Amino acid sequence: MSERALTIAIDGPAASGKGTLARRLAAHFGLPHLDTGLLYRATACALLDEGRPLDDIPAAVAAARGLALADFDEARLRTRELGEAASVVAAIPDVRAALIDLQRGFAARPEGAVLDGRDIGTVICPAAPVKIFVTASAETRAQRRALELAARGEKVDYASILADVRQRDERDSARSAAPLKIASDAVRLDTTDLDIEAAFEAARDIVLDKLTLAARSD
Ligand code: DC
């Protein structure tokens, strides 16, 4: 990574708004963006397409190794079913290990990059100059997810989406391999009471503050 690379690591729980923020920040700062959740979703999708169980470790590792970023069918990968399945394969340490080089390769662009996920600031890019941990209450996240799924034509039941959100929080935080947790040098951004615009402005200001601090210490 060059000295001037602006690597922005965005982590947070399901439906916290980190994906939207990461996309907006990438557009604002002119950086490429990788939604790393898609890697786990695509791995799970490959297993399901082959009719294999999600705990078939050799098949899951082979699927993870075979991923090509350009091939992703995002509309297919962003379903609720694949979000759940992704959370299961993401708990397999060998699957996570198989996806490290792809993510670090993306992050190592000379100009920098924005990556969002669960372990970007802690494992994938521990030296990233900017780390933001995006949170929101489980109820707010479930409401956002319900609206998003309804907009895509999926059937929506708020109570079961809230249960999914809580179950995914539990699975993503309790696993032993790279659990969801805030990096010690990350800034926490709670978006519970913020709309998208206000959340973006807060995230942008976090990045600008870090850049100002870095410039002062040069
Ligand atoms: O962000 P998402 O909902 O698309 O992620 C789907 C699942 O993938 C999520 O429940 C946990 C897993 N994941 C992960 O473990 N590490 C990442 N960096 C990104 C996603």
Side-chain angles (χ1 to χ4, degrees), residues 11-15 18 35-38 40-41 78 82-84 86-88 90-91 96 103 116-120 124 145 168 171-172 175 178:
D11 290 301
K18 64 186 184 317
D35 170 354
T36 64
L38 287 177
Y40 296 93
R41 287 172 183 261
R78 290 194 191 283
L82 282 173
E84 289 304 300
S87 170
V88 176
R96 304 198 70 83
Q103 296 172 85
D116 74 271
R118 302 293 188 290
D119 62 341
I120 307 303
I124 303 298
R145 187 46 55 93
R168 271 227 267 161
R171 205 186 285 130
D172 294 347
R175 70 182 178 218

Side-chain angles (χ1 to χ4, degrees), residues 4 18-19 30 75 77 82 86 104 113 118 120 122 136-137 144 176:
R4 300 167 71 88
K18 64 186 184 317
L77 295 178
L82 282 173
R104 289 196 179 144
R118 302 293 188 290
I120 307 303
T122 51
S137 71
R144 291 178 186 161
S176 54

Side-chain angles (χ1 to χ4, degrees), residues 52-139:
R52 295 184 188 271
L54 294 171
D55 60 358
D56 181 335
I57 295 178
V61 170
R65 288 210 180 108
L67 293 184
L69 296 179
D71 295 345
F72 288 166
D73 173 355
E74 289 200 28
R76 170 136 195 251
L77 295 178
R78 290 194 191 283
T79 61
R80 184 175 164 196
E81 180 204 6
L82 282 173
E84 289 304 300
S87 170
V88 176
V89 297
I92 302 172
D94 289 350
V95 167
R96 304 198 70 83
L99 292 171
I100 287 181
D101 287 351
L102 186 61
Q103 296 172 85
R104 289 196 179 144
F106 190 93
R109 304 188 177 202
E111 73 275 32
V114 181
L115 286 83
D116 74 271
R118 302 293 188 290
D119 62 341
I120 307 303
T122 51
V123 175
I124 303 298
C125 303
V130 183
K131 299 180 184 178
I132 305 177
F133 192 85
V134 186
T135 59
S137 71
E139 291 77 10

